[in-house]
Amino acid sequence: MSPHLLSVDSLNRDSVNHLLRVAAQMEPIAQRRQVTRVLEGAVLGNLFFEASTRTRVSFHTAFCRLGGSVCDTTGFTFSSMAKGESLYDTSRVMSGYCDAIVMRHPDQGSVAEFAAATHVPVINGGDGPGEHPSQALLDIYTIDKEFQRLGKSFGGAHILLTGDLKYGRTVHSLIKLLSLYDPLRITLVSPPGLEMPTALIDLVTSRGHQVEVRDHLATDFSDLDVVYTTRIQKERFTEEMNENFQGISDDFIVNKVFLDQRCSESTIVMHPLPRDSRPGANDLNVDLNGDPRLAIFRQTDNGIAMRMAIFATLLHVDSLIEKDLRSVRWFVPSQTGTLDR
Ligand code: NCD
C-alpha cells in the first residue's frame, strides 16, 4: 500500500482484503470490549476545512482507540490559511508536529498537493467532489459484513447507486473500489444533471462490470442487493445549477414504499450520511428507521474499525494488534436509549 491514502486508485484487491481483515480484528476495540496502546505517543493532525461530523470524529476516535492522541483544526477561519498560507507551508509545518494527517478540503486535488510536501502519511478525508477513500473502504467493509450475515457474496451482486452521482465523492471512490471485485451489476439513477461522470462509468465497464443507467426508481428492483443513496451536494452547485435545480421529485426517493414494493426482504439500504432531513429535501426517508434493512448506523459504526485499520496499516502496527489487547475495565450501559442496529 502507498504511504498515503489519497485515492482508491492506490488500492488493489489484496490491499483491500488486508484492510478488511485488520478492520475485523479491530472490532472488539471499536465495540469497547478491549483496548490497545499500539499507537501510544503518536499524534494525529486532523485538519478539516469543510463541514464534517462523522468523518472528523470517527478518525479522531479511531486514533485515540489505538492509543494515540489528536490535535485538530476546523474551518479556514481558525487556521493560518485565512492569512494566505499555502498548502505547501501548512503541510511542512504540520509534518513537524504530527505522525499522520487527515485532511478534508473543498478543492479537488488539494489533499494530494498537501501530501506532496510532507513525509508523514496523509489520508484524504474528502477533497471537494474528488474522492473519499476511507468512506469507500468502510462501505465495502459494510457490504461484506452484511452479505456474510445474509449468506450472499459479491460475485454477480446487484448494487444501485442513487442521488447526486456527479458531485458525491463517496460514490466516486466506491464505484472504483467495487470495480476491483468479480463482475457486478451496477445501476445508476440520478436526477437530471447529476449523473455519474462518464470516465468512471467507462472505467467500471472496461473491468467487466455491467452498468445500467435508469432515469428514475419507479421500476423493478426485486433482485437488488444494495441501494446506496446519497445527499444532493448543493454546496458544490454552480450558480446556474442553483437557479435551475427543481428539487428532487418523488421518482428518486428511497423510502419504505420503494423498499417494500420495488425491492426485496434482503435489500440493504446504505447512505454515507448526513441525510438531509429538512422538509422538501427528499433524501433517504426516516420512515425506514427501525427497518432491519436500513444499514446506515451499522455503516457508521463500521467506520471506526475501518479507520483504525487504515491508521494501523499506514503506521505499520497492524501485525501488533493481536498481542497488544487488554480487556476494558469500564463499560457503557447498553440498556440506555433505543438503539436499533
Ligand atoms: C459525505 C462527504 O462528506 O462526502 N459524508 C461523509 O463523509 N460521510 C457525504 C455528504 O456530505 O453528503
Side-chain angles (χ1 to χ4, degrees):
M1 207 164 128
S2 105
H4 304 298
L5 180 60
L6 302 174
S7 155
V8 296
D9 292 342
S10 65
L11 300 168
N12 56 31
R13 255 314 264 284
D14 285 344
S15 50
V16 173
N17 284 342
H18 174 79
L19 288 165
L20 297 180
R21 268 195 309 276
V22 180
Q25 266 191 329
M26 297 297 185
E27 290 282 356
I29 311 168
Q31 291 164 13
R32 288 99 102 183
R33 287 186 277 111
Q34 297 197 291
V35 281
T36 179
R37 306 294 301 166
V38 284
L39 283 190
E40 190 163 20
V43 175
L44 171 72
N46 212 18
L47 311 182
F48 276 73
F49 299 107
E50 255 194 351
S52 174
T53 301
R54 256 150 303 274
T55 309
R56 183 170 53 85
V57 178
S58 66
F59 268 123
H60 189 132
T61 308
F63 208 80
C64 292
R65 293 209 185 277
L66 289 166
S69 34
V70 183
C71 55
D72 48 26
T73 86
T74 28
F76 286 104
T77 325
F78 299 108
S79 101
S80 283
M81 286 198 193
K83 300 178 182 170
E85 187 170 57
S86 65
L87 282 169
Y88 177 87
D89 285 2
T90 308
S91 176
R92 290 296 301 269
V93 171
M94 288 305 292
S95 10
Y97 299 164
C98 305
D99 304 289
I101 293 169
V102 176
M103 183 168 161
R104 169 172 287 190
H105 193 283
D107 297 336
Q108 187 162 356
S110 54
V111 184
E113 186 185 334
F114 179 91
T118 177
H119 53 267
V120 304
V122 175
I123 300 170
N124 180 2
D127 60 327
E131 277 215 41
H132 196 344
S134 68
Q135 178 70 44
L137 282 162
L138 79 87
D139 292 339
I140 290 282
Y141 183 52
T142 301
I143 297 172
D144 194 46
K145 277 178 72 175
E146 296 287 319
F147 277 7
Q148 281 182 40
R149 181 175 65 80
L150 295 163
K152 294 184 175 185
S153 61
F154 265 94
H158 185 188
I159 297 177
L160 163 67
L161 304 180
T162 181
D164 188 343
L165 306 183
K166 179 184 169 91
Y167 294 112
R169 55 194 170 201
T170 67
V171 278
H172 297 166
S173 292
L174 181 59
I175 198 168
K176 285 203 257 179
L177 216 46
L178 285 170
S179 76
L180 298 177
Y181 281 77
D182 295 339
L184 298 165
R185 286 182 53 208
I186 300 177
T187 302
L188 306 173
V189 178
S190 47
L194 298 178
E195 291 85 6
M196 179 67 80
T198 320
L200 286 175
I201 300 182
D202 292 346
L203 173 87
V204 175
T205 315
S206 73
R207 291 185 178 166
H209 302 275
Q210 197 182 316
V211 179
E212 190 190 334
V213 179
R214 296 189 199 171
D215 292 342
H216 52 76
L217 292 176
T219 58
D220 179 39
F221 282 105
S222 52
D223 63 352
L224 193 66
D225 296 297
V226 180
V227 42
Y228 188 103
T229 173
T230 62
R231 182 179 66 85
I232 303 302
Q233 315 272 303
K234 273 199 155 170
E235 68 275 27
R236 306 201 193 287
F237 280 17
T238 58
E239 222 170 281
E240 194 192 335
M241 285 182 73
N242 254 322
E243 274 162 25
N244 298 334
F245 188 64
Q246 302 290 313
I248 302 295
S249 73
D250 290 357
D251 287 350
F252 298 97
I253 305 177
V254 175
N255 56 13
K256 197 158 169 51
V257 170
F258 170 70
L259 221 60
D260 287 346
Q261 294 184 0
R262 311 262 177 219
C263 306
S264 81
E265 279 302 305
S266 69
T267 307
I268 59 155
V269 182
M270 296 173 63
H271 190 304
L273 299 183
R275 59 177 152 174
D276 189 341
S277 298
R278 287 171 290 195
N282 284 346
D283 203 339
L284 174 62
N285 204 294
V286 290
D287 68 359
L288 282 166
N289 288 1
D291 189 309
R293 293 170 291 185
L294 186 75
I296 57 175
F297 299 119
R298 299 194 286 277
Q299 192 181 350
T300 49
D301 281 357
N302 289 336
I304 299 290
M306 179 47 79
R307 290 189 166 118
M308 290 174 76
I310 294 168
F311 285 133
T313 303
L314 290 179
L315 293 169
H316 303 284
V317 291
D318 43 335
S319 60
L320 304 181
I321 301 295
E322 223 166 28
K323 291 176 230 119
D324 197 73
L325 286 176
R326 277 194 291 112
S327 293
V328 295
R329 286 181 287 229
W330 43 270
F331 73 97
V332 181
S334 58
Q335 301 310 327
T336 46
T338 51
L339 270 184
D340 41 70
R341 289 182 181 273

